[in-house]
């Protein structure tokens, strides 16, 4: 089966610094890689995705990098804000569904 | 309206009870999903409905019974649950099945006693 893991379960960053959240995966057949954010008491919220034929995609304050050679995905958040505190999940798309990784808790320190 | 609503927010039930979780969306999405999420774990897919028909059942025990009465509503009927079924149950929708941007509701926190 698929395996989606994250390098660190928790990450603390100072407000204003950049955050980098990493994800390793094993299924090379996935055509899309996605990041979701889950704040306390809420359901996951889509942040950004990247197709498997790309290696970088930028959004508003976020950048996703995909390295298919080492099967690694990362989410970079620029100028991290208190509202970025949440659990971040990477996810892979397989036919008809998403498989979520184990999550990283991001804490933004004042 | 880009919201998925779920009721109830919290539910406590005994192992012999029958209860139902409800999910509603008015975005015109044709795919709806049930996920189960244990504390500090990722969401795990349970069921997918596409155009009101069950498309995926991830080998979920029969004590969980999904129902899609129409394109806006998704129910999860619960019967004879076990304490290990206690979890956050999330509903999601997307315009079509398999699209990467799914819209999640806030979930129902279920406790089985």
């Amino acid at each position: 089966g698929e395996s989606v893991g994250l390098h660190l379960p928790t990450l603390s960053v100072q407000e204003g610094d950049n955050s980098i959240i990493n994800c390793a995966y094993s299924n090379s057949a996935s055509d899309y890689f996605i990041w979701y954010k889950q704040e306390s008491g809420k359901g996951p919220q889509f942040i950004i995705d990247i197709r498997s034929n790309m290696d970088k995609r930028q959004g508003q304050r976020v950048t996703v990098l995909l390295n298919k050679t080492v099967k690694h995905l990362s989410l970079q958040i620029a100028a991290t804000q208190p509202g970025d505190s949440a659990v971040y999940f990477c996810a892979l798309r397989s036919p008809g569904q998403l498989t979520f990784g184990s999550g990283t808790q991001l804490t933004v320190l004042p | 309206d880009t919201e998925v609503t779920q009721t109830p927010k919290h539910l406590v039930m005994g192992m012999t009870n029958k209860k139902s979780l409800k999910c509603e969306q008015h975005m015109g999405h044709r795919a709806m999903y049930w996920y189960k999420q244990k504390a500090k774990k990722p969401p795990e897919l349970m069921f997918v409905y596409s155009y009101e028909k069950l498309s995926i059942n991830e080998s979920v025990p029969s004590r969980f019974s999904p129902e899609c009465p129409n394109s806006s509503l998704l129910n999860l009927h619960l019967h004879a649950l076990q304490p290990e079924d206690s979890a956050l149950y999330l509903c999601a929708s997307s315009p079509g099945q398999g699209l990467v941007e799914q819209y999640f509701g806030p979930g129902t926190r279920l406790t089985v006693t």
Side-chain angles (χ1 to χ4, degrees), chain A residues 21 35-47 75 83-90 100-106, chain B residues 6 35-44 88-91 104-109:
Chain A
I21 301 171
W35 284 100
Y36 274 80
K37 170 187 180 182
Q38 186 173 22
E39 297 176 81
S40 181
K42 297 184 178 180
Q45 179 184 14
F46 172 87
I47 302 173
L75 177 71
D84 295 326
S85 291
V87 176
Y88 290 81
F89 294 102
C90 63
F100 286 82
S102 54
T104 292
Q105 172 72 59
L106 175 65
Chain B
Q6 291 187 244
Y35 289 85
K36 174 182 177 180
Q37 186 177 29
K38 301 283 269 185
K40 301 187 185 301
K41 297 292 186 181
E44 296 178 356
L88 181 68
Y89 287 84
L90 293 161
C91 173
F104 282 82
T108 293
R109 177 73 61 187

Side-chain angles (χ1 to χ4, degrees), chain A residues 36 38 43-44 49 89 93 97 101, chain B residues 37 42 56 98 100 102 104-105:
Chain A
Y36 274 80
Q38 186 173 22
D49 64 351
F89 294 102
R93 187 171 83 165
Q97 64 188 72
Chain B
Q37 186 177 29
I56 294 177
V100 298
Q102 296 182 8
F104 282 82

Side-chain angles (χ1 to χ4, degrees), chain A residues 29-79:
Chain A
S30 296
D31 61 348
Y32 271 93
F33 301 83
I34 312 104
W35 284 100
Y36 274 80
K37 170 187 180 182
Q38 186 173 22
E39 297 176 81
S40 181
K42 297 184 178 180
Q45 179 184 14
F46 172 87
I47 302 173
I48 191 169
D49 64 351
I50 186 168
R51 280 189 73 158
S52 58
N53 62 354
M54 301 171 64
D55 52 24
K56 180 178 181 179
R57 188 171 185 217
Q58 289 185 291
Q60 187 176 10
R61 277 201 311 118
V62 295
T63 300
V64 57
L65 299 177
L66 177 62
N67 185 330
K68 295 182 288 296
T69 301
V70 296
K71 298 183 182 178
H72 184 268
L73 181 72
S74 69
L75 177 71
Q76 300 178 1
I77 304 173

Side-chain angles (χ1 to χ4, degrees), chain B residues 32-69:
Chain B
M32 296 186 76
Y33 311 79
W34 280 116
Y35 289 85
K36 174 182 177 180
Q37 186 177 29
K38 301 283 269 185
K40 301 187 185 301
K41 297 292 186 181
E44 296 178 356
L45 183 67
M46 300 174 70
F47 302 104
V48 181
Y49 272 82
S50 179
Y51 288 86
E52 301 162 48
K53 294 195 185 312
L54 184 64
S55 172
I56 294 177
N57 176 342
E58 288 289 290
S59 302
V60 179
S62 60
R63 58 185 184 268
F64 295 91
S65 175
E67 178 195 21
C68 190

